[in-house]
Amino acid sequence: MSLAYFNGRFAALDEPLLPIEERGHQFGDGVYEFFRVYEGQPFMLEEHLDRLYRSADLIRIEIGQSREELKGIMDELMQRSGLSNGDIYLQVTRGIAPRNHPFPAVPSSLSLTIKPWRELPPATHQEGVGILLHPDERWLNCHIKSLNLLPNILAKQAAVDQGCFEAVFVRDGIITEGSSANFYLVQNGAIRTHPLSNRILGGIAREAIQRIADAAGIPFIEEAFSPDELFAADEAFLTSSGVELVPVVTVHGHGSIGSGVPGPIAIELYRQYAALTRQPAQG
Ligand SMILES: Cc1ncc(COP(=O)(O)O)c(C=O)c1O
């Protein structure tokens, strides 16, 4: 069953847990992580925790729990929920204090939820999806996994309104990433994606795909590209921990990418990602 946790207390998901003066609620003053759990193991747990502590550092939040304590709480959440496959969201905020912009001298807050996987219809992976290109109206610290997702949410809704699966951001004529996923094109057998910088979130699924590509001898080129280069690409795809890898076959207002069906590299990478995440735990 789904379950929640807030500052030491486990509770049902629909139980009110957060005080009104919680800064995550009032300011979005915090950071978060999303972990996908496969057979009781959060995939690339250490990489997600590295990013969590890095994000918190960058907005000057000191996380009140050590890595081992966080892992312990995640373990207990998984145990209590009885879910061996699930989606865990973890939020750290600057804590609970009377509403005022400057940092309060209070401990950070920690909240988590676990739910069954949010499954996508099989057609998403098999047939691919459409995207909407959308101006990137976010701040210039997109490498921080901030709770502030308003531009992402607005862009995603604009995409959904047009019948698209995802909004893909364009800043200064360059494609950065999706509203909740990294974005790639494939041209002449090589993968191309925006380099790691303050303009994108360094995705953990991106890291996994890079490793898979390296091992398979598929060039993984970290070089930004324009919408015109995307339109001329052979293939395109999105990755995130939640959707894993989704082929992109159309761009709203433009038409098909490549032949308009998932390409061989996206299909092969997805096959290998699925094998990696679903393999039995090592030693
Ligand atoms: C803006 C953005 N970029 C990229 C990603 C992909 O990150 P990850 O692969 O770690 O899930 C996400 C995931 O939520 C995201 O929100």
Side-chain angles (χ1 to χ4, degrees), residues 215-242:
I218 303 168
F220 186 96
I221 303 167
E222 297 182 270
E223 186 184 282
F225 52 88
S226 66
D228 280 342
E229 288 175 288
L230 168 63
F231 301 152
D234 300 328
E235 304 181 32
F237 61 91
L238 296 156
T239 67
S240 76
S241 301

Side-chain angles (χ1 to χ4, degrees), residues 51 138 145 152 177-182 201 203-205 239-241:
R51 186 173 66 185
R138 300 173 301 163
K145 202 161 167 63
N152 308 58
E177 63 176 336
S179 75
S180 61
N182 291 114
L201 182 73
I204 306 302
T239 67
S240 76
S241 301

Side-chain angles (χ1 to χ4, degrees), residues 108-125:
S108 61
S109 284
L110 175 66
S111 60
L112 289 93
T113 58
I114 187 167
K115 300 177 198 173
W117 285 354
R118 192 190 302 156
E119 300 273 9
L120 295 170
T124 310
H125 290 107

